[in-house]
Amino acid sequence: MAKSLRSKHKRKMRAVKRIRNGQKELVKLKETVAILNSTNEGGEGIDMSQLSDTVVLTNAKAVKEAAKAREVETSMEVDGKKYNKKTMKDADGNYPPWFNKRRVKQLQLKNKKEKKKMASGKKKAPGKRRHR
């Protein structure tokens, strides 16, 4: 699939749907197994205890917290190179090879603004006030 905004959004929404519908599917699966067990009372049936060992139930909050915990890391390592998550530069000051020129330009402007903001904040804070 291409990397357009539309396809990225669709992929994200499908993942959310999978999580949301997973719980409903599990409930239906358990109901079906219970019905099969009741119809095969004399014969071989599947116990719910066996089912609970194979199926793990997770809620959406736990999945989101796990995703946030993975994002907290300050640097990302790809192909042996480490990139700073804030500036997206490696140790040599280069951007990752998968960035296109437009994205690099946007990040450069963003980093310049932040640097300028930090510099202007430093000048004003430690200076002495002059009386007129």
Side-chain angles (χ1 to χ4, degrees):
M1 221 176 180
K3 287 191 173 183
S4 65
L5 289 176
R6 183 178 181 189
S7 62
K8 286 180 183 179
H9 181 72
K10 285 188 173 219
R11 199 176 333 140
K12 178 183 167 189
M13 290 299 116
R14 278 196 303 267
V16 169
K17 223 177 203 182
R18 245 180 260 121
I19 293 169
R20 190 177 60 215
N21 291 337
Q23 294 174 345
K24 293 177 187 176
E25 290 174 7
L26 183 63
V27 169
K28 284 184 181 181
L29 178 66
K30 287 183 178 181
E31 288 175 358
T32 306
V33 170
I35 291 171
L36 286 174
N37 282 340
S38 65
T39 57
N40 296 335
E41 290 173 1
E44 296 178 10
I46 301 171
D47 292 334
M48 292 300 281
S49 60
Q50 292 175 349
L51 181 67
S52 64
D53 293 339
T54 58
V55 178
V56 178
L57 181 64
T58 58
N59 58 5
K61 287 183 181 179
V63 173
K64 286 180 183 178
E65 288 173 2
K68 283 185 180 180
R70 277 185 254 129
E71 287 181 16
V72 170
E73 299 174 3
T74 57
S75 66
M76 53 189 263
E77 190 173 331
V78 180
D79 298 332
K81 289 187 176 182
K82 288 188 176 183
Y83 294 99
N84 185 340
K85 276 209 165 186
K86 189 172 184 181
T87 61
M88 291 304 294
K89 290 183 181 180
D90 62 357
D92 300 327
N94 298 326
Y95 289 96
W98 63 85
F99 272 21
N100 55 23
K101 290 183 180 181
R102 179 173 23 106
R103 178 86 186 267
V104 170
K105 200 172 187 180
Q106 287 174 348
L107 279 175
Q108 285 174 342
L109 287 173
K110 181 182 170 188
N111 291 336
K112 273 186 185 178
K113 284 181 182 179
E114 288 180 9
K115 191 174 181 181
K116 190 175 182 181
K117 189 175 183 181
M118 292 294 289
S120 67
K122 287 182 182 177
K123 288 180 185 175
K124 292 179 183 176
K128 295 181 181 178
R129 293 186 139 198
R130 295 182 183 174
H131 296 286
R132 291 186 188 186

